[in-house]
Amino acid sequence: MASSGGGGGGGETEDRRRGRRRRRKVLLSKLYTFAACARRPSAVDDEGSRIGGPGFSRVVHANDAAAAADAAAAGGYRSNYVSTTKYSAVTFIPKSLFEQFRRVANIYFLVVACLSYTPIAPFRGATAVGPLVLVLLVTMVKEAIEDWRRKQQDIEVNNRKTKVFQDGAFRHTKWTKLRVGDVVKVEKDEFFPADLVLLSSSYDDAICYVETMNLDGETNLKLKQSLDVTSRLQDDDSFRGFGAVIRCEDPNANLYSFVGNIEIEEQQQQYPLSPQQLLLRDSKLRNTEYVYGVVVFTGHDTKVMQNATSAPSKRSKIEKKMDGAIYVLMSILVLISVIGSVVFGLATKHDLVDGRMKRWYLRPDNPDNIYDPNNPAVSAALHFFTAMILYGYFIPISLYVSIELVKLLQALFINSDIHMYHEESDTPAHARTSNLNEELGQVYTILTDKTGTLTCNSMEFIKCSIAGTAYGRGITEVEKAMAKRNGSPVISDFELGVEDFHQSEGRSAIKGFNFRDERVMDGNWVHQQHSGVIEMFFRLLAICHTCIPEVDEVTGKISYEAESPDEAAFVVAAHELGFTFYQRTQAGVYLHELDPSSGEQVDRFYKVLHVLEFSSARRRMSVIVKDEEGKTFIFSKGADSIMYERLSNSESTYSEATQKHINDYADAGLRTLVLAYRQLEEIEYAKFERKFTAAKNSVSADRDELIDEAADLIERDLILLGATAVEDKLQKGVSRSYLLSCCKMEQFTTFSLWFAHANFPFSRYLTASTNLLRLASRYGC
């Protein structure tokens, strides 16, 4: 809860202080050994050596207003004011007129209006100019209203407030007043006001979780971590004597790269910066009480604004078709005028007989250029323009006015439509432009990654395969739709929904857990044939992750903060099945485990030696731990195509049965991961430790490849435990049979299109993508 004073900390609640103390028990520096390995302070890599050269010349003086102002003046740094409007007061008239005269009909009426003030016009000029001016005014007023709304949104964003360190304390300041070099404090669920270099956070090892949905549409949280040298800045008072100089790359549009270094004034030593320390504007701080950062890019220099294009001139297909219709009408108009002019010229040529006019009523005694029997060719040509003006109403100029008014009314209806209001986030629909209203709802081709489009990225643990035996009696939405389509009755036991099941057992529904099977629940797994494998399976679920537990001090209930919803679902499932992960320290993790021999819950500690995190290239994640007996294990989970290559042929006796279960889960539209482990010998682990440490400390260009090679050595000859199957719940309003009905669309291109990027682990679900394609193929797509 933010204080009302300028210092930013006086009104802090006791709950918040307890939460901070609880968080600071957790140091995660050793957990992120694969994704955020610390480099030696004196190391200068190939990218860092470019600092000061072309494209890498930005200098930021942190917490030094005078020096920052001089650097900003010398470097031409922009203010933090942003504008997304299409027009300005100066450019509105010329740009708007240019937009209007992209329509062929408006060009025609402009030409007609000019010709209407010449002697060849059959009526007064005002008659032709009036409709054109009306059309232009109506359209320009509409454009002005919509651009003013964009301006209002810009004003709202620019006037948001954040805390900036000024005069020895953090004070609320508008976003637009931020300058390069300011030290800001961003609190939980707030947006970052500019591109910041992370200095520290509420966690002792200065990590934070960031939601980048506004940048890339992903709801999964991204992990950021500051350098060790600045992680000591834990409170507001720490910045009273703080000063640093950051030298980094110039503004560019690459969201996923950042090259720079920071030099702390009191140490006179440079430390390399990477994208791991960069917080981008318009992303949101999540699951972290607060962070401190230094502004490096502001306003239109920020990466998100570098990627933003100016408001384009969008034209709908209907408007383009209207232009095509106008071309047809103009062609007919020209044809009519040509025929009339030819006939007029021939008649004029033969109008004089012996110097007398056949058509005396045309006054041959007062001929002019328009009607001159002695020069019929010129008369015919001038008659063509007269006919074009006279028949001009063949072009429906009022159609454009009607279309513009209809679009404006449609935009108003969209903004006030209660059915387009999202109650959870209190967000109504907002039509920023009415040019494309008629395009709404017109779907021609589906290219979707499924998550966040058809589904809501809310994972539920629903089935699993352990030691070649399938567990889990739940039924997915896809299975229900398949049964309904095939006309087969659903088994009554399956008809029981998870909420009904929990109510019948006296339990409440648990988010992320939709699993039920009496063979393994409530400790019954100890009576199964492969109880040892089941025990190791659940233990892997409780250990192989990077989640952080949060224990409510009042109720004792444990919640988990995870980078992805599937990891949270695994930990929740382990908790419900008797393996509760309840504490993480700098040294390792603590579990409440069900002891098979005594049937009681016991506390066990596992020292975390290394976490080899997931990446799009690896498509797997591993954790190396040492138990209380001194045994060293590696626990791994990943895509079946990757994990099966790393299994021991001699000890994985039920791989075929597990693969069959994976295929069945694929047909049910579930996401699958293969789980495996093995015990490590001390000599083997020591060899890996030396190579992995050397790879981490390497400053060569192939550093990542060296780390991959070291990890690849240890992730071999694994023993298969089984596979998990999680369901990504459908979005609200998506029918159960929607996935199958998609297969009937004539222009349905593919059921799922997955992209891989190092910063976004879409490939973690590559197996699920393959599963969905199998499902589409099975039903004739």
Side-chain angles (χ1 to χ4, degrees):
M1 186 174 181
S3 65
S4 57
E12 190 174 52
T13 64
E14 182 63 27
D15 289 340
R16 186 179 218 175
R17 284 192 290 270
R18 285 200 303 267
R20 184 186 303 173
R21 287 196 298 270
R22 182 170 64 251
R23 290 171 183 272
R24 289 184 178 176
K25 295 177 183 177
V26 182
L27 284 176
L28 304 177
S29 300
K30 293 188 177 181
L31 294 178
Y32 306 102
T33 53
F34 193 88
C37 302
R39 300 187 182 183
R40 291 176 294 182
S42 59
V44 179
D45 57 13
D46 295 338
E47 289 183 335
S49 63
R50 292 181 285 173
I51 299 298
F56 299 86
S57 61
R58 174 157 291 215
V59 179
V60 178
H61 295 271
N63 210 23
D64 188 342
D70 294 339
Y77 302 163
R78 301 189 188 186
S79 69
N80 203 37
Y81 177 84
V82 296
S83 174
T84 60
T85 57
K86 188 175 180 179
Y87 309 103
S88 66
V90 177
T91 63
F92 175 73
I93 292 180
K95 288 184 68 174
S96 182
L97 287 176
F98 172 77
E99 293 295 331
Q100 301 314 311
F101 285 107
R102 292 176 62 188
R103 296 172 173 174
V104 62
N106 288 344
I107 296 177
Y108 167 76
F109 283 107
L110 178 63
V111 173
V112 169
C114 295
L115 293 176
S116 64
Y117 286 94
T118 64
I120 64 174
F123 44 70
R124 296 182 179 180
T127 306
V129 173
L132 177 62
V133 172
L134 177 62
V135 170
L136 296 180
L137 284 177
V138 169
T139 308
M140 290 174 69
V141 168
K142 182 185 76 74
E143 289 286 324
I145 293 174
E146 291 181 349
D147 211 50
W148 174 251
R149 290 175 180 169
R150 298 190 193 102
K151 178 71 172 179
Q152 294 297 108
Q153 290 183 339
D154 291 341
I155 293 174
E156 179 184 352
V157 171
N158 289 320
N159 287 333
R160 288 178 181 173
K161 295 200 176 172
T162 190
K163 290 183 178 179
V164 181
F165 191 74
Q166 298 174 342
D167 302 326
F170 280 92
R171 307 183 186 281
H172 287 284
T173 304
K174 293 181 179 179
W175 281 21
T176 188
K177 294 183 179 180
L178 284 181
R179 297 294 181 266
V180 173
D182 286 344
V183 176
V184 301
K185 180 179 181 180
V186 181
E187 298 184 335
K188 185 178 180 180
D189 294 329
E190 290 183 352
F191 290 97
F192 298 116
D195 287 355
L196 313 175
V197 167
L198 176 63
L199 296 177
S200 63
S201 74
S202 56
Y203 293 104
D204 275 355
D205 52 356
I207 66 166
C208 69
Y209 292 95
V210 177
E211 180 187 276
T212 59
M213 186 169 58
N214 285 350
L215 305 182
D216 52 37
E218 280 299 302
T219 57
N220 289 346
L221 302 183
K222 311 299 186 298
L223 181 71
K224 300 290 184 178
Q225 184 176 23
S226 77
L227 300 177
D228 290 339
V229 69
T230 60
S231 61
R232 60 180 175 80
L233 303 169
Q234 287 290 332
D235 51 45
D236 297 356
D237 294 335
S238 303
F239 291 90
R240 292 185 184 276
F242 172 75
V245 178
I246 298 175
R247 295 176 177 85
C248 63
E249 63 187 15
D250 294 336
N252 60 73
N254 196 330
L255 292 173
Y256 313 117
S257 71
F258 181 70
V259 179
N261 59 53
I262 183 171
E263 180 180 337
I264 309 299
E265 290 182 353
E266 58 190 35
Q267 298 186 15
Q268 299 298 317
Q269 190 174 7
Q270 292 183 353
Y271 301 87
L273 296 171
S274 69
Q276 194 72 14
Q277 287 82 49
L278 187 64
L279 305 174
L280 299 179
R281 179 189 173 109
D282 282 344
S283 54
K284 181 186 286 189
L285 182 66
R286 298 292 300 274
N287 295 349
T288 310
E289 291 299 324
Y290 59 84
V291 297
Y292 297 103
V294 177
V295 178
V296 289
F297 301 123
T298 53
H300 288 272
D301 284 344
T302 58
K303 290 184 178 289
V304 64
M305 294 305 296
Q306 289 281 314
N307 280 275
T309 58
S310 57
S313 301
K314 299 178 181 179
R315 305 182 70 205
S316 65
K317 291 185 178 180
I318 288 183
E319 188 170 338
K320 293 176 181 178
K321 288 182 179 179
M322 286 174 56
D323 278 356
I326 295 299
Y327 280 119
V328 173
L329 294 176
M330 287 188 64
S331 300
I332 297 174
L333 176 62
V334 170
L335 180 62
I336 294 175
S337 300
V338 167
I339 294 175
S341 299
V342 170
V343 173
F344 178 82
L346 293 175
T348 302
K349 180 179 180 180
H350 300 92
D351 208 21
L352 286 176
V353 178
D354 298 331
R356 297 188 62 183
M357 189 71 174
K358 291 182 180 179
R359 293 174 294 179
W360 54 267
Y361 48 87
L362 294 181
R363 299 297 301 277
D365 56 331
N366 188 25
D368 53 26
N369 291 330
I370 299 177
Y371 174 70
D372 187 357
N374 296 317
N375 198 352
V378 174
S379 298
L382 295 176
H383 182 274
F384 170 79
F385 293 105
T386 302
M388 289 287 292
I389 299 173
L390 186 62
Y391 304 144
Y393 294 103
F394 194 67
I395 307 297
I397 190 172
S398 60
L399 178 62
Y400 284 103
V401 179
S402 301
I403 292 294
E404 294 297 337
L405 292 177
V406 168
K407 286 182 177 181
L408 185 60
L409 292 175
Q410 285 177 340
L412 295 176
F413 289 147
I414 290 174
N415 293 342
S416 58
D417 191 348
I418 190 64
H419 297 292
M420 300 182 72
Y421 169 74
H422 190 245
E423 186 175 359
E424 294 180 6
S425 61
D426 190 26
T427 305
H430 182 75
R432 288 174 60 89
T433 178
S434 62
N435 289 345
L436 300 178
N437 292 346
E438 58 269 37
E439 298 291 324
L440 294 176
Q442 298 184 20
V443 179
Y444 298 96
T445 303
I446 294 180
L447 296 174
T448 173
D449 66 350
K450 191 175 79 69
T451 301
T453 309
L454 303 179
T455 60
C456 55
N457 206 23
S458 176
M459 309 298 177
E460 287 189 346
F461 187 91
I462 187 170
K463 294 182 181 182
C464 63
S465 172
I466 309 175
T469 303
Y471 296 98
R473 304 190 184 281
I475 182 170
T476 67
E477 301 288 344
V478 173
E479 288 175 317
K480 292 178 182 178
M482 290 165 55
K484 183 178 180 180
R485 175 176 177 177
N486 295 332
S488 59
V490 181
I491 300 176
S492 59
D493 184 37
F494 287 175
E495 281 293 321
L496 184 63
V498 63
E499 295 182 0
D500 297 330
F501 169 75
H502 285 298
Q503 290 175 3
S504 65
E505 296 292 326
R507 306 176 184 179
S508 59
I510 301 169
K511 182 179 181 182
F513 187 72
N514 189 3
F515 178 88
R516 52 190 176 90
D517 195 316
E518 67 282 355
R519 293 174 293 175
V520 292
M521 295 186 70
D522 300 323
N524 293 330
W525 59 267
V526 298
H527 306 299
Q528 293 294 301
Q529 180 180 1
H530 301 283
S531 59
V533 179
I534 297 175
E535 179 183 13
M536 193 62 70
F537 183 93
F538 293 157
R539 184 176 293 144
L540 189 152
L541 290 179
I543 294 176
C544 189
H545 55 78
T546 57
C547 299
I548 299 174
E550 287 290 331
V551 182
D552 191 302
E553 296 181 355
V554 178
T555 63
K557 184 178 179 181
I558 302 176
S559 60
Y560 299 100
E561 296 177 356
E563 293 185 64
S564 59
D566 57 335
E567 276 204 339
F570 292 147
V571 180
V572 170
H575 168 70
E576 293 300 319
L577 296 170
F579 288 73
T580 302
F581 164 56
Y582 69 92
Q583 185 180 4
R584 186 189 290 278
T585 66
Q586 184 177 3
V589 297
Y590 291 85
L591 303 184
H592 288 308
E593 290 189 4
L594 179 63
D595 187 7
S597 57
S598 64
E600 302 292 335
Q601 287 282 338
V602 296
D603 289 345
R604 287 204 172 98
F605 170 74
Y606 295 90
K607 182 179 181 180
V608 178
L609 302 177
H610 290 286
V611 175
L612 310 181
E613 288 196 347
F614 178 90
S615 72
S616 59
R618 287 167 42 79
R619 290 162 55 191
R620 63 190 183 277
M621 174 189 179
S622 298
V623 176
I624 302 176
V625 300
K626 179 178 289 188
D627 64 11
E628 295 171 340
E629 299 176 357
K631 298 179 181 178
T632 303
F633 295 91
I634 178 171
F635 295 121
S636 298
K637 62 183 180 183
D640 58 345
S641 59
I642 295 297
M643 296 297 293
Y644 265 70
E645 297 174 355
R646 303 178 179 278
L647 297 179
S648 172
N649 295 327
S650 60
E651 299 192 47
S652 299
T653 57
Y654 29 80
S655 58
E656 292 184 3
T658 303
Q659 185 62 61
K660 180 181 181 301
H661 294 154
I662 291 175
N663 294 335
D664 293 339
Y665 298 153
D667 291 340
L670 299 175
R671 296 181 170 184
T672 59
L673 285 179
V674 172
L675 276 57
Y677 85 107
R678 74 180 174 98
Q679 185 176 345
L680 303 177
E681 300 294 336
E682 291 296 331
I683 297 176
E684 181 184 15
Y685 173 72
K687 180 181 178 181
F688 160 77
E689 174 73 15
R690 289 193 298 271
K691 186 168 185 178
F692 191 70
T693 302
K696 287 192 299 179
N697 293 329
S698 173
V699 294
S700 61
D702 59 347
R703 176 176 179 270
D704 292 338
E705 287 75 9
L706 294 175
I707 294 177
D708 286 342
E709 290 177 6
D712 185 70
L713 285 178
I714 204 72
E715 296 171 322
R716 293 286 180 181
D717 297 324
L718 301 174
I719 302 173
L720 177 65
L721 292 174
T724 61
V726 298
E727 181 184 18
D728 195 353
K729 303 299 291 183
L730 294 176
Q731 289 274 17
K732 184 179 180 180
V734 178
S735 63
R736 294 178 178 178
S737 59
Y738 181 80
L739 301 180
L740 298 179
S741 65
C742 284
C743 298
K744 299 180 180 179
M745 297 179 61
E746 292 182 359
Q747 298 185 7
F748 184 80
T749 303
T750 180
F751 194 86
S752 181
L753 186 64
W754 295 88
F755 299 91
H757 194 284
N759 292 281
F760 302 101
F762 294 139
S763 294
R764 175 179 298 180
Y765 308 122
L766 185 62
T767 302
S769 176
T770 306
N771 297 345
L772 294 171
L773 289 173
R774 290 172 183 163
L775 179 65
S777 175
R778 180 174 177 179
Y779 288 95
C781 297

